[in-house]
Amino acid sequence: MITRGFYTALGRLLGSADPAAIITEVGFGTANTAETFDDTALTGAIRKPVEAVEVDADDPRRIQVSWTLARDEANGLPIREIGLFTADGVLVARVARASAIEKTPDMELGDWFELQL
C-alpha cells in the first residue's frame, strides 16, 4: 500500500527537485499489522539500499523498485513487512505478509515494488 509519505515525497520531488525525496532504501520489519495510508515506520526494521528504480518507458506513471536481501543479511529476522523509504527516511510504501519469512543464511530474497502514480 502506498502511504501518505509517498504523496508528500512526490510533492517535494516534483515541486523542488528535492533529492531527499528519492526512493533509496528498502526495509524489512517484524510487525504483522495491516497496511494503512498513515503508516510511517516498520517495526524492528533493518534497511538497505534498493537495487534499482526504473520508470516504465511505455507508462511513465509506473515505477518499479527492485531489491535483494543477500544470504548474510537479516538472518534470524522474521520478516513480516517490507517497505520503501526516501533518502531522508520517509516511508512511501509498505506491504505486510500474512506469515513471516524466517530468514536464514541459506536463502537470498529478491523482489520488487511496482508503484503507479
Side-chain angles (χ1 to χ4, degrees), residues 5-24 85-90 92:
F6 174 78
Y7 292 103
T8 301
L10 181 63
R12 288 181 7 235
L13 185 60
L14 295 175
S16 64
D18 183 353
I22 297 170
I23 296 170
T24 58
F85 294 86
T86 60
D88 62 351
V90 175
V92 296

Side-chain angles (χ1 to χ4, degrees), residues 99-110:
S99 60
I101 299 170
E102 299 292 339
K103 179 67 173 67
T104 61
D106 64 341
M107 66 172 62
E108 179 174 290
L109 304 174

Side-chain angles (χ1 to χ4, degrees), residues 45-68:
I46 65 135
R47 290 176 17 190
K48 62 172 288 180
V50 297
E51 296 293 318
V53 178
E54 300 174 4
V55 176
D56 186 322
D58 296 326
D59 184 358
R61 296 176 306 136
R62 186 172 296 157
I63 299 168
Q64 185 172 0
V65 182
S66 304
W67 57 266
T68 59

Side-chain angles (χ1 to χ4, degrees), residues 69-107:
L69 191 58
R71 290 178 177 219
D72 62 344
E73 297 175 310
N75 291 317
L77 184 72
I79 300 170
R80 291 187 181 94
E81 58 181 341
I82 303 169
L84 297 176
F85 294 86
T86 60
D88 62 351
V90 175
L91 178 68
V92 296
R94 176 181 173 262
V95 63
R97 299 181 41 81
S99 60
I101 299 170
E102 299 292 339
K103 179 67 173 67
T104 61
D106 64 341
M107 66 172 62

